[in-house]
Amino acid sequence: MAELSTPTPAGQTGLVLGIESSCDETGVALFDCATGRVVAESLHSQIALHAPYGGVVPELASRDHIRYGLRLTDQALRQAGVAGQDVRAIAYTQGPGLAGALLVGAQLAASLAFAWGKPVIPVHHMEGHLLSPLLADPAPAFPFIALLVSGGHTQLMQVDGVGQYTLLGDTIDDAAGEAFDKSAKLLGLAYPGGPLLAKLAESGDAAAFAIPRPLLHSGDLDFSFAGLKTAVANEVRRLTGTELPARGAVSAPQPLLPVDHPRRADLAASVQAAIVDSLVSKSLAALRQTGLKQIVVAGGVGANARLREALTAGAARIGARVSYPPVALCTDNGAMIAHVGALRLAEAKADYAVNVRPRWPLMELSPPLAR
């Protein structure tokens, strides 16, 4: 594993073990506070497990975290050449996420911490994503604008420091990741659809279909993607010759675009362009409104190549810079949890109660305790 570095938490030493289990990835990593580096990382993806069902099955996700959590922890410790007793604290994802999946990670963290006599640090999953660009080289400096784009979140934040977040814009319905995945399903693509749609879009014409950009000119920094999905569904009906159900009639199943349809790549490219245009437009507006010259992108959709290309170019036009986490850290992972654990090391406690927060607003966080 290539070593990843970040500004070292001032005055801190020791290793923080991070455990991530909020959804469909089990991630474990070790962060060295003294050097500011991720020194070991293990990750297991559940894509193959959930693919036959077209989406995440919570019960199966929880069972798989049980199956792999301890195994990945042992793997990370061996990779770093240390024992559990050498760890200073254990950070784990307390929320938000799937309740059962979170409980597995929290129980694993509490059990290991109790056995090793170490304190624990509950971490907010989205703060992990939000601060993951600090693992890039060079790392961005505070303050900056953050575009959080994942399967369940699309938000614009002003970030003045760790725990110092101001919400500038939010989605009023679907998140960008949902728009990618739901559109991909309509195009007959397998789970997880977002990356497959992006791949298919490479050979398509982004101007072939007039896919709407909701709220693009609303004057605020909010997003909306539910109407985009409806537009894609209507285009699929038109391309397959399927009529809309009559008003009051029992709805027929939504048709899927056949894999051999000649317009499939064009529709994928048009969908991607609409989502990217919305994200880039609002992000640049946030930079202009705040006067800041730096934006970071975090979350799974941050790995989208077209988004990176368009946002980097747009920011350059207004004299701003964009920072991204390494592509491998865009999806859920233990490194981002261990990293936040290191930044909040002063909050570590020998409290082994298992508490999770499936719904946990990011704005409830506060700056770390003084070291």
Side-chain angles (χ1 to χ4, degrees):
M1 184 198 74
E3 288 189 335
L4 302 166
S5 62
T6 189
T8 304
Q12 298 289 359
T13 59
L15 296 171
V16 174
L17 178 72
I19 299 173
E20 156 61 24
S21 68
S22 64
C23 189
D24 58 347
E25 271 100 17
T26 313
V28 179
L30 283 162
F31 185 90
D32 188 339
C33 298
T35 63
R37 292 183 179 277
V38 176
V39 295
E41 184 181 12
S42 300
L43 182 70
H44 170 70
S45 173
Q46 299 179 2
I47 288 177
L49 176 67
H50 300 293
Y53 307 98
V56 176
V57 181
E59 178 64 23
L60 295 181
S62 300
R63 293 180 184 181
D64 215 47
H65 289 308
I66 294 172
R67 186 177 297 114
Y68 283 94
L70 195 57
R71 187 184 310 180
L72 295 178
T73 301
D74 182 63
Q75 183 177 318
L77 291 171
R78 285 189 286 105
Q79 184 181 357
V82 299
Q85 288 73 16
D86 299 320
V87 171
R88 181 170 175 182
I90 301 176
Y92 67 95
T93 303
Q94 189 179 43
L98 299 175
L102 292 169
L103 282 168
V104 175
Q107 181 66 70
L108 175 60
S111 300
L112 293 176
F114 180 78
W116 297 337
K118 306 296 179 180
V120 296
I121 310 165
V123 171
H124 193 293
H125 177 79
M126 294 312 297
E127 185 172 44
H129 279 302
L130 181 67
L131 299 180
S132 63
L134 296 178
L135 293 167
D137 186 17
F142 300 117
F144 53 75
I145 298 298
L147 173 64
L148 278 173
V149 275
S150 67
H153 295 79
T154 299
Q155 297 174 318
L156 281 164
M157 297 273 181
Q158 179 171 326
V159 181
D160 295 312
V162 179
Q164 300 175 43
Y165 312 131
T166 303
L167 181 64
L168 303 176
D170 202 347
T171 178
I172 64 173
D173 41 56
D174 287 354
E178 290 177 284
F180 267 113
D181 289 339
K182 290 177 179 179
S183 297
K185 189 171 184 178
L186 292 170
L187 270 61
L189 295 168
Y191 167 86
L196 296 178
L197 186 148
K199 181 66 176 177
L200 180 61
E202 293 176 2
S203 59
D205 178 5
F209 293 88
I211 302 299
R213 278 80 165 154
L215 299 187
L216 191 64
H217 304 293
S218 62
D220 56 32
L221 298 177
D222 289 334
F223 302 89
S224 173
F225 294 104
L228 182 148
K229 185 207 72 173
T230 300
V232 176
N234 289 338
E235 289 292 352
V236 170
R237 286 187 176 276
R238 185 178 64 83
L239 291 171
T240 56
T242 307
E243 295 184 1
L244 288 169
R247 185 179 296 274
V250 176
S251 297
Q254 169 66 41
L256 305 180
L257 201 61
V259 296
D260 59 350
H261 197 285
R263 305 297 305 280
R264 196 162 172 250
D266 289 343
L267 185 52
S270 299
V271 169
Q272 177 175 253
I275 297 171
V276 168
D277 285 352
S278 296
L279 295 174
V280 171
S281 175
K282 299 286 185 171
S283 297
L284 298 182
L287 288 168
R288 288 190 291 265
Q289 288 185 24
T290 60
L292 296 178
K293 295 298 182 182
Q294 186 167 237
I295 185 168
V296 307
V297 181
V301 180
N304 182 275
R306 177 57 190 148
L307 173 61
R308 291 188 171 216
E309 176 187 324
L311 185 56
T312 299
R317 287 195 296 271
I318 61 174
R321 187 170 71 90
V322 189
S323 294
Y324 306 92
V327 172
L329 298 186
C330 286
T331 55
D332 296 347
N333 60 86
M336 68 182 191
I337 304 304
H339 172 225
V340 172
L343 295 173
R344 294 186 173 274
L345 188 55
E347 300 173 8
K349 295 180 180 179
D351 181 359
Y352 308 125
V354 178
N355 296 310
V356 297
R357 302 185 65 178
R359 295 184 181 276
W360 186 7
L362 184 64
M363 307 312 297
E364 291 184 2
L365 297 181
S366 57
L369 298 174
R371 299 184 177 90

